[in-house]
Amino acid sequence: MNIRRTTKAARGAVAMASAVGLALVVAGCGGGDGGSRTTDDKKPTATRSSVPKESGPGTPAADSEQVIGEMKGPDGIVVTLHSVVRDTGGFVTVNGTVTNRGTRVFNAIDWRSNETEMQSRSSISGATLVDKAGKKRYLVLRDTNGECLCTTGLSGLRPGASSPIFAQFPAPPTKVTEVDFQLPTMPPASVQITD
């Protein structure tokens, strides 16, 4: 066998092995994690019932009639909190609505965490729950890709518009019923956790 035939055979074997490996990788990525990612920088959807479904701008949060707290920040931004619910899986989900009562378009870029691996640049990943009595701070949970289990893609909120928000946290001990919800640039709001 000459060197040319050996080289062609080797290239063919490498190409076949690469194709088989790629097919296995694609088949392995086919599912089972319960979530998917959209291509427009929105939050991943999940099968957990405690994660709110994606809503368009101007759509109120699930319990928008109930108000348990309000935070007023700079430039006319108001966050109205509707529920802080402890779920049986050991999570606490905060639901609310952000309203732009100012005169400029609002982007939540200052509400994100300082983590460099976060893909969404406009999220509420910097939110925290603070148990003042227990002196503990709870950060927003992350999925297996490092994305927050919270509202992402929160940008371009025009004056007069509202958008639902949510964030999931590890649950404090069951004896803890009152926490402070905090967002960067906003004053904290003391809220009650319900079951």
Side-chain angles (χ1 to χ4, degrees), residues 2-188:
N2 71 23
I3 214 156
R4 180 178 268 190
R5 263 193 220 159
T6 305
T7 305
K8 282 186 178 181
R11 282 188 200 150
V14 169
M16 178 60 82
S18 297
V20 170
L22 183 60
L24 290 173
V25 169
V26 169
C29 292
D33 71 346
S36 63
R37 179 166 310 282
T38 59
T39 57
D40 59 352
D41 203 31
K42 299 287 183 189
K43 68 173 177 49
T45 58
T47 57
R48 291 189 51 76
S49 61
S50 59
V51 177
K53 293 182 180 173
E54 185 74 32
S55 303
T59 306
D63 299 325
S64 63
E65 306 248 339
Q66 182 178 0
V67 175
I68 62 168
E70 188 173 81
M71 304 158 64
K72 294 181 179 179
D75 299 324
I77 300 302
V78 177
V79 174
T80 306
L81 300 173
H82 305 299
S83 65
V84 180
V85 179
R86 184 189 311 269
D87 108 11
T88 55
F91 305 102
V92 169
T93 303
V94 176
N95 287 295
T97 304
V98 59
T99 303
N100 185 352
R101 295 184 183 158
T103 57
R104 299 185 304 184
V105 172
F106 172 72
N107 295 309
I109 198 154
D110 292 331
W111 290 358
R112 74 183 189 282
S113 71
N114 292 329
E115 298 170 75
T116 56
E117 66 273 2
M118 294 290 292
Q119 292 180 6
S120 177
R121 297 291 174 226
S122 54
S123 69
I124 64 168
S125 60
T128 58
L129 284 184
V130 177
D131 169 13
K132 290 189 288 190
K135 297 182 180 172
K136 287 196 175 181
R137 177 178 293 217
Y138 298 90
L139 305 178
V140 176
L141 291 169
R142 304 295 189 253
D143 67 14
T144 55
N145 294 323
E147 283 297 316
C148 71
L149 294 179
C150 66
T151 301
T152 61
L154 187 58
S155 62
L157 190 64
R158 297 183 184 279
S162 296
S163 182
I165 58 170
F166 85 98
Q168 274 193 331
F169 301 89
T174 52
K175 64 180 181 174
V176 176
T177 57
E178 184 174 321
V179 291
D180 280 358
F181 178 73
Q182 297 180 336
L183 275 170
T185 75
M186 304 287 279

